[in-house]
Amino acid sequence: LKQLIRSSPFVTHLYRNMTELQRLGLSEAKVKETLKNASLTQQLGMMIEFADKKNVKIDKNTGTLIYSLATKCKKSSHANEILNLVIEKKILSDTQIIAAINYLTAHPVSYGQLDLEAACGVGVVITEDQIRNAVKTELLKNKSKLDELHHRFNIGPLIASIKKDLKWADGGLVKKIVDEELCNVLGPKTQENNSSSNKGKAQPKPQIKSQPEKAPAEEEICELNFSHLHKPGENYTTDGYVVTNDTMRLMKEHLEFTKGQWRTRFPPEPNGILHIGHAKAINVNFGAAKAHGGICFLRYDDTNPEKEEAKFFESILDIVQWLGYTPYKVTHSSDYFQQLYELAVKLIRDGNAYVCHQTADELKGFDVKFSPWRDRPVEESLSLFEDMKNGKIDEGAATLRMKCRLEEGKMDPVAYRIKFVEHHRTGHDWCIYPTYDYSHCLCDSFENISHSLCTKEFQSRRSSYYWLCNALRVYCPVQWEYGRLNIGYTIMSKRKIAKLIANNVVADYDDPRLFTLTALRRRGFPPQAINKFVKKLGLTGALTLTEPALLEAVVRDELNHIAERVMAVLEPLKLTVLESAQTLPHTVNVPDIPGKDPSHPVTMSDVIYIDASDFRLSADKDYRRFAKDQAVGLKHVGLVASVVSIEQDTSGTITNVNVKLEQLSKDNKPKAFIQWVCGGVPAEVRNYTRLFYHQNPEDTEQVPGGYLSDINPNSLTVYNGLVEARIAKQPPLSRYQFERIGYYCVDQDSTDNRLVFNNTVSLREDKAKS
């Protein structure tokens, strides 16, 4: 090992880091985990070196606190200040570290050392007697619950209450004393009072009620949690936020204008149709504002004129409103073109931007060298930028670039480019257009946005967001990132969907096999179900690929409460009644939705239709439905059908089944009941399955031939069925449950002479269908 260390600088460095981390008292597994994070390892190394220079011996508790500090504190100046208190043994707990970080974050400009120490409990000693007295007081408050629950009593809230009163008490000691005092009050745990001992025992089954489950009340639905976001005006308390000499003045002006109001924005590009991922963005931005009594702008990021179409503008607003949200105001990035241009001139004057002639290909990649024009004279860049604006420079021959670096390593992002394209709102007034990196943060600033909420892929632009606002000395909002919503077995790229349309794989952006929001609406997904699905996923930074089945389950639950029941058959098979125990025609009333009013009449005559899939010539032991030798029940009418004779054409296809109907009794109870249609109307019924075979059709390892090679040619099946005549004239998007089949909605292709239904989701698995 020594020889290997001497011969390899990399191994030497790794061995040294492992040795240093072990001094903190970390386990071998924790050391290995930490070494994977280069920046954390480096920070811990510097902290250990600092302690060494102070001749401080790192004991177990100090090592734990140093590690906690390194992982929690993002600002080096704060970390150094707190580290001093740790190695001086003034800070002795993790609670104190968090308090110190919070204090320093809340006082970005100036603070007193004594105030800092007071804020994090330096010198405060909580004795064991104080803790024990507080525990006894809390137990007395909860005596009635303790008498009822014994050792099943939840001690979490009790400990939290004690810690609230004795903020600087040692958490481990609090837990130990709570356990001791509980034992004194209740005695030791036994088989009778220990809840864990009953886990294996069979519990009585709850009584099943006949009425259906009620739709969840609005307050019962899982809401997105925004508690980790800063309060308006406290931008400087967030990780990574850059504080300058202008920050507090600009913040004061911002608060005078907004009165502390939450202000968010949903900023889509109007160059395509919104998809399921946008549903999360809409719920996050509009939801955050709504939850705090604030406002949300709908701002079209219309800085790419060659890709924008009027239909996309209209569709975006339509979908936002369909999901139940109303924008405070509809704005456009183009509303601010003049202001953006003037600030770009200021950026150049201040030496923070320059005109560059490198091509787009030269700017690709992450290991890009400084532009040879980076240090050209300010006056020269001003003159060239004016020429760009006035159309004197060819498209692609020049850009305006900002002197900053993105987190991902990209150097000097482009602020303006030349495009000789008519803009849908400003016409030919401009031939230079701002980029997202330049316009987005400034439009947020113009609109006094308090929380700029965006998906994780924009995290690498956070530094340029803050840099640009501060370089121009304008109010700087806070950018918060969350994990985007990705769904499996589909694609959501506008360009790739356009290719599917061009190749006649799907009909348009609203084809029900896609996961655009217009497609999901056409397929019959209720907007409230989409919102509930987003809220169930929660607001996290995790990048995950969600199964479509999770969304379909939420949709199914929602439709169960609102979709009217209808009998339909996809492949009609004629039954002729030769003998009936019930006089025909026979009419019964059936609830539109089980357990609820109103109801509708259903009439049976001597000719009805069932689904061909519900009939076989012979039944095996696992088959439960209609067969030549097996009777079946007919839903709602209390009749049991049995075969008298079967008629077939020359090809052997069954064309008619002559049947006898008997009254249902305990002696002839069938294995299954099936739906039927009498006097129905023809309907085209479209059933859908996954458009792609693989969960991620864009994964080149799983799908080396590309997503176009992964298409399922059987993703659409069309049936010529029959449905109850009473729904023949319903408008598009009317939703129904076809009994025993699934949920369906009326498609926009329906006419007075041609009824068309789209399958929304299937029912839960039905054993009676086997």
Side-chain angles (χ1 to χ4, degrees), residues 50 85 96 121 124 146 148 163 194 205 213 232 251 286 411 433 435 458 583 634 640 682-683 697 709 734 748:
F50 181 82
L85 296 176
Q96 289 179 285
V124 178
L146 283 167
E148 177 187 354
K163 288 286 288 178
N194 186 359
K205 292 183 178 180
E213 183 184 9
M251 195 65 59
F286 282 91
M411 184 68 67
Y433 293 97
T435 62
F458 295 102
T583 303
L634 300 177
V640 178
S709 70
S734 297
Q748 63 194 29

Side-chain angles (χ1 to χ4, degrees), residues 275-281 455 457 482-488 492 530 533-534 537 542-547 551:
H275 53 66
I276 186 66
H278 291 108
K280 181 171 184 177
T455 48
E457 62 262 38
Y482 55 88
R484 67 180 294 170
L485 171 53
N486 295 307
I487 292 281
M492 294 192 276
I530 293 175
F533 169 67
V534 169
L537 293 179
L543 298 176
T544 57
L545 190 61
T546 303
E547 287 287 333
L551 171 59

Side-chain angles (χ1 to χ4, degrees), residues 102 105-106 226-239 241 247-248 251-252 254-255 258-264 288 291-292 294 448-453 466 475-480:
N102 290 340
T105 304
F226 301 104
S227 61
H228 64 290
L229 304 184
H230 70 283
K231 294 179 182 178
E234 295 184 1
N235 301 26
Y236 52 85
T237 65
T238 60
D239 287 342
Y241 191 82
T247 297
M248 304 315 288
M251 195 65 59
K252 182 179 178 183
H254 163 75
L255 288 173
T258 66
K259 311 300 182 189
Q261 183 182 51
W262 277 64
R263 294 167 71 93
T264 62
H292 298 90
N448 272 288
I449 299 303
S450 60
H451 298 76
S452 181
L453 307 169
Y466 293 161
Y475 160 70
C476 184
V478 177
Q479 176 174 305
W480 286 97

Side-chain angles (χ1 to χ4, degrees), residues 241 244 246 250 346-347 402 437-438 440-446 463-478:
Y241 191 82
T244 70
D246 299 306
L250 293 168
K346 182 180 187 304
L347 204 63
M402 300 176 283
D437 287 322
Y438 177 76
H440 186 69
C441 61
L442 295 178
C443 291
D444 281 352
S445 180
F446 298 154
S463 60
S464 67
Y465 185 110
Y466 293 161
W467 174 86
L468 184 56
C469 288
N470 290 329
L472 290 169
R473 298 182 180 87
V474 298
Y475 160 70
C476 184
V478 177

Side-chain angles (χ1 to χ4, degrees), residues 613-633:
S613 64
D614 283 332
F615 183 78
R616 291 183 186 177
L617 288 174
S618 61
D620 57 36
K621 64 182 179 65
D622 296 321
Y623 180 73
R624 299 164 59 86
R625 289 163 286 148
F626 201 19
K628 186 177 180 179
D629 54 353
Q630 182 166 279
V632 74

